[in-house]
Amino acid sequence: MILKTLKEVLKEAFNNCGYNEDINVIVSNRPDLCDYQCDDAFKIAKLYHKNPILIGEEVTNKLKELDNFNFYFKEVTFVKPGFINMVVSDELINNEIQKMMDDEHFNLEKVKKETYFLDYGGPNVAKPLHVGHLRTAIIGESLKRIINFVGHKTVSDVHLGDYGLQIGEVIYAVKEDGLSIDDITLEYLDEAYPRMSKICKENEEIMQRCALITKELQDGNKEYQEIWKKIYEVSVNDIKRIYEYLDVSFDLWEGESDGYKYIPNVTEELNKLNLLKDSEGAKIIEVKTEDDKKEMPPLIYQKSNGAYLYGTTDLAAIYERVNEYNPNHILYITDLRQGLHFEQVFRASKKWGITKDINLEHLGYGTVNGSDGKPFKTRSGDTVKLDGLFKQVKEAFISTKETNKDMKDEDLDILVNAIIKFADLQNNREKDYIFDILKFSNVVGKTGPYILYTYVRINKILNNEKLQINKLNNEIYNKFDRDLRLKLLDLNTYIMTAFNERRPHHIAEYIYDLCVLCNIFYQNNHITGLEEDKKQQWLLLLTFTNKLLKELLNLLAIKIPSEM
Ligand code: ARG
């Protein structure tokens, strides 16, 4: 880690001048002037009541003295009023890259292993998966991979919505339509759920009957349980197929229904603590605090008709997770609009004390919009089903280039995934974005096809040549070469930022930058026909870059096509 190395060198220089403090070094924000900079003369000046200019000059001179063989720096300059600018030596750059190449884990920062429980996916049984479910799956899968990559343990749960009103509605339809269990198919669910959902919005009485069915199902009604099992099976099979297509997976296939067996225990614990209050026949948990500026309604634990709600099942799920998996963190990846719900659940669980030592986070994300800036819909205004979306993206990609239609089906599916995922994951998750299929499918621009094309192109060169070395020498041959190498050294920062902020877009950003620099390198440096020494050095550099790219793409759950 070059930043770590530089921090140590700088610290020594500051120390030698009598300033015994921790020193920070950052990547230069003026790459035209230098590679790295240290702005800590300001901090030290405050602490020691001195002029930052004097400190900066003093430390810069000391640095030059310490580095009299120019191992670390090509140039160190002090810039008023307090910046120490560093251009590092080629030798140092290559040394640090070599450490990354020699280490099986790219010489990344080591962490103390903890357990992260991730709750993402969250599809609702009986409803087809639509665009709204895309982001939780894509972001959640990526976060899981990033957290693992950094060195932690993860447990992932799809947390199905499998016991809510939509089930009562479909059971009502099955009975009304006079169907037997075997008649419940995917096609039937696709038709029955939207129909019932519309009816219930218009007819309060039917809606109440569906709510009652839901309640009786939860209470264990045999007939309803049978129908529910079949709906579950049909629906979950299809959900699994879609996740498989997206290369999204889970350790646990639990759902809201699994929480029910814990509810008696949870209720007992909450009662002991006197946390359940009566409110017009319902049971609630107050979660307001005195310094709340915003509205903070209580969590409704049990309705007056005895039914449990979304918040109850989330508390029961926490009970199970804490007891079974003993996590240090529980992360929930859902639409930002569920922010209040999770705030209530988190507060209730803290009052209860069950998550005293556990970090709970709601990682919200924005909406996928159409070109009109409103949530992405079909022309007729329906939500877009994922199958349809995949098909549309595939067609768009094929339309961008004549020969794309000849690609293998497997490769096309990889491209569809890359297009959707890279378009999504390059955005800060909290941001809404416009789903512009043609733009995302283009091989030019900040797109999945551009990234994969870069990889495949480099791979072609590598396949035509034979790499015979595994050590870099001390040389860097030109500016394009140097820019690429410096970027490789940024890896740790991007990975750790993505991890700490739970934001995969930092990795997408890094991948894109790396690809741009690779392409510039490639356009300006022709490898074939070079003298052997230099050729081998570049082959080694490109081999490593491509290996890294592949690993990073895997963190976004993007695979590499066999050809493009
Ligand atoms: N099924 C929910 C929905 O569609 C998402 C579940 C999120 N996870 C949770 N533990 N509440 O909104």
Side-chain angles (χ1 to χ4, degrees), residues 14 19 40-59 78-83:
F14 272 91
Y19 312 113
D40 279 6
F42 295 111
K43 179 181 97 182
I44 302 294
K46 271 215 189 89
L47 281 172
Y48 289 75
H49 307 290
K50 273 190 169 176
N51 182 338
I53 299 181
L54 291 179
I55 296 176
E57 283 174 346
E58 189 187 0
V59 172
F78 176 69
V79 178
K80 283 179 193 167
F83 306 103

Side-chain angles (χ1 to χ4, degrees), residues 58-112:
E58 189 187 0
V59 172
T60 304
N61 287 333
K62 182 57 79 184
L63 268 179
K64 288 182 184 161
E65 193 186 310
L66 289 173
D67 189 35
N68 59 348
F69 292 109
N70 294 92
F71 173 74
Y72 294 107
F73 306 114
K74 224 178 231 172
E75 212 182 289
V76 194
T77 18
F78 176 69
V79 178
K80 283 179 193 167
F83 306 103
I84 301 173
N85 287 353
M86 292 161 268
V87 178
V88 291
S89 74
D90 294 352
E91 193 176 348
L92 179 66
I93 293 177
N94 288 352
N95 233 294
E96 294 289 335
I97 296 179
Q98 189 72 48
K99 282 193 227 161
M100 292 170 74
M101 295 199 301
D102 292 345
D103 184 86
E104 59 185 15
H105 205 47
F106 302 100
N107 196 32
L108 290 174
E109 195 171 323
K110 307 261 179 305
V111 296
K112 189 173 143 274

Side-chain angles (χ1 to χ4, degrees), residues 261-270 301 319 352:
K261 56 178 170 294
Y262 302 103
I263 289 182
N265 292 5
V266 177
T267 308
E268 193 189 319
E269 291 199 11
L270 293 172
Y301 186 81
Y319 180 86
W352 173 11

Side-chain angles (χ1 to χ4, degrees), residues 119 122-124 133 159 161 256 310 314 321 332 334 338 341-342:
D119 178 318
N124 297 315
H133 292 109
H159 205 76
E256 289 167 13
Y310 190 39
D314 265 329
R321 290 165 184 182
Y332 298 84
T334 80
Q338 295 200 27
H341 164 75
F342 284 106

Side-chain angles (χ1 to χ4, degrees), residues 438-456:
L438 271 181
K439 182 172 135 200
F440 297 163
S441 310
N442 204 316
V443 76
V444 182
K446 199 169 178 178
T447 67
Y450 170 76
I451 305 294
L452 291 181
Y453 186 65
T454 308
Y455 179 94
V456 169

Side-chain angles (χ1 to χ4, degrees), residues 50-260:
K50 273 190 169 176
N51 182 338
I53 299 181
L54 291 179
I55 296 176
E57 283 174 346
E58 189 187 0
V59 172
T60 304
N61 287 333
K62 182 57 79 184
L63 268 179
K64 288 182 184 161
E65 193 186 310
L66 289 173
D67 189 35
N68 59 348
F69 292 109
N70 294 92
F71 173 74
Y72 294 107
F73 306 114
K74 224 178 231 172
E75 212 182 289
V76 194
T77 18
F78 176 69
V79 178
K80 283 179 193 167
F83 306 103
I84 301 173
N85 287 353
M86 292 161 268
V87 178
V88 291
S89 74
D90 294 352
E91 193 176 348
L92 179 66
I93 293 177
N94 288 352
N95 233 294
E96 294 289 335
I97 296 179
Q98 189 72 48
K99 282 193 227 161
M100 292 170 74
M101 295 199 301
D102 292 345
D103 184 86
E104 59 185 15
H105 205 47
F106 302 100
N107 196 32
L108 290 174
E109 195 171 323
K110 307 261 179 305
V111 296
K112 189 173 143 274
K113 194 170 184 146
E114 296 190 315
T115 301
Y116 284 74
F117 195 103
L118 284 94
D119 178 318
Y120 59 95
N124 297 315
V125 168
K127 300 190 199 178
L129 280 179
H130 59 80
V131 171
H133 292 109
L134 205 54
R135 298 205 76 187
T136 169
I138 293 178
I139 297 171
E141 178 68 26
S142 177
L143 285 174
K144 177 182 72 183
R145 292 176 187 219
I146 293 168
I147 293 171
N148 276 321
F149 190 71
V150 164
H152 294 293
K153 180 182 165 188
T154 57
V155 182
S156 52
D157 179 18
V158 67
H159 205 76
L160 297 163
D162 59 354
Y163 238 28
L165 182 62
Q166 87 273 18
I167 305 283
E169 292 177 0
V170 175
I171 294 177
Y172 175 91
V174 168
K175 298 203 44 123
E176 244 351 72
D177 296 341
L179 300 190
S180 75
I181 293 216
D182 290 335
D183 300 328
I184 302 172
T185 60
L186 200 58
E187 292 69 42
Y188 178 72
L189 293 180
D190 275 359
E191 179 276 320
Y193 170 70
R195 164 163 54 103
M196 284 309 299
S197 155
K198 190 154 169 272
I199 292 176
C200 285
K201 275 192 198 108
E202 289 159 3
N203 188 326
E204 176 65 22
E205 195 209 319
I206 297 185
M207 151 91 167
Q208 286 307 332
R209 277 161 66 191
C210 294
L212 188 64
I213 294 177
T214 311
K215 167 84 177 70
E216 286 173 8
L217 168 77
Q218 295 168 354
D219 288 341
N221 176 305
K222 279 257 158 37
E223 184 195 5
Y224 296 159
Q225 284 281 335
E226 288 303 308
I227 302 176
W228 171 73
K229 274 191 193 125
K230 178 72 180 188
I231 297 173
Y232 182 99
E233 181 196 307
V234 168
S235 187
V236 169
N237 266 339
D238 194 54
I239 290 172
K240 285 192 171 162
R241 178 183 62 81
I242 301 251
Y243 283 144
E244 207 164 299
Y245 186 83
L246 287 172
D247 200 11
V248 166
S249 66
F250 304 90
D251 300 314
L252 308 172
W253 276 81
E254 303 230 337
E256 289 167 13
S257 65
D258 292 285
Y260 275 75

Side-chain angles (χ1 to χ4, degrees), residues 315-353:
L315 287 177
I318 289 180
Y319 180 86
E320 179 186 6
R321 290 165 184 182
V322 170
N323 288 316
E324 298 281 321
Y325 304 100
N326 193 22
N328 306 90
H329 308 262
I330 307 180
L331 313 183
Y332 298 84
I333 296 110
T334 80
D335 193 305
L336 274 171
R337 286 171 290 193
Q338 295 200 27
L340 177 63
H341 164 75
F342 284 106
E343 176 94 54
Q344 292 172 313
V345 171
F346 295 172
R347 287 183 182 208
S349 82
K350 290 289 170 197
K351 277 182 111 171
W352 173 11

